Amino acid sequence: METLSPTAARAAIETGARLVDIRDADEHARERIPGALNLPLARISDLAADGRPVIFHCRSCMRTAANAAQLQAAAAGAPAYLLEGGIDNWRRAGFATVADRRQPLEIMRQVQITAGALVLAGVLLGWLVAPGFFGLSAFVGVGLMFAGTTGWCGMANLLRVMPWNRRAAA
């Protein structure tokens, strides 16, 4: 699929193209391009076909580029494009985004922070207190490997139901 620069994408949107954000709802709630329809990749087949061009975006264009064939199919024959560099590049180009920093951090960032903290705690406790604490780091490592190979992340699912994440769902 062809990519559009933020300037070209903005011009296309002004002439009727639809902008579709394929990021998860928690990412969209924290920062979004005004007027973008949030349709996470897992639900992209729900995109209603109306013949208008569609511009897909994510944070950096990595997810959209990796799933270009699926996105092209979801456009149902309408012209489909990727926003070059995603919302990050849109912002760098000086175009407006709507940011709500009161929303929780994205779940994957929370997973990275939590996993890193647990690994560090396991190493420090294993070194300073008792070698058995190294098992905590091993447990987190196995969990991350399992999440990477299966696509199911128990830590993400647990963090999603924490009280501080309930605002994104509202």
Side-chain angles (χ1 to χ4, degrees):
M1 273 178 17
E2 184 180 341
T3 60
L4 295 178
S5 69
T7 303
R10 185 173 177 192
I13 293 164
E14 288 172 354
T15 61
R18 294 186 294 169
L19 181 62
V20 177
D21 183 349
I22 68 161
R23 299 173 304 148
D24 287 334
D26 60 326
E27 295 173 275
H28 183 81
R30 188 148 169 95
E31 183 177 25
R32 64 191 170 281
I33 296 172
L37 167 68
N38 181 225
L39 197 56
L41 189 57
R43 294 187 16 242
I44 202 65
S45 60
D46 295 344
L47 182 64
D50 66 2
R52 293 187 298 159
V54 182
I55 304 166
F56 295 101
H57 87 84
C58 61
R59 185 181 58 79
S60 65
C61 199
M62 297 295 287
R63 273 179 276 185
T64 53
N67 295 284
Q70 183 182 0
L71 298 174
Q72 182 77 54
Y81 306 94
L82 305 179
L83 175 59
E84 180 181 66
I87 194 171
D88 289 345
N89 200 30
W90 179 273
R91 191 181 332 95
R92 277 192 298 274
F95 298 133
T97 62
V98 176
D100 184 356
R101 299 296 178 217
R102 295 171 303 169
Q103 291 293 327
L105 289 175
E106 298 86 356
I107 294 296
M108 283 297 103
R109 285 184 61 194
Q110 291 182 44
V111 167
Q112 292 165 342
I113 292 166
T114 304
L118 288 171
V119 168
L120 180 61
V123 169
L124 290 175
L125 289 170
W127 183 47
L128 297 171
V129 178
F133 282 106
F134 287 122
L136 176 60
S137 298
F139 178 75
V140 172
V142 168
L144 291 173
M145 288 173 43
F146 181 80
T149 56
T150 65
W152 185 86
C153 182
M155 189 182 297
N157 290 335
L158 179 62
L159 288 168
R160 220 175 247 112
V161 298
M162 290 292 121
W164 61 83
N165 284 321
R166 294 198 181 129
R167 278 184 295 187

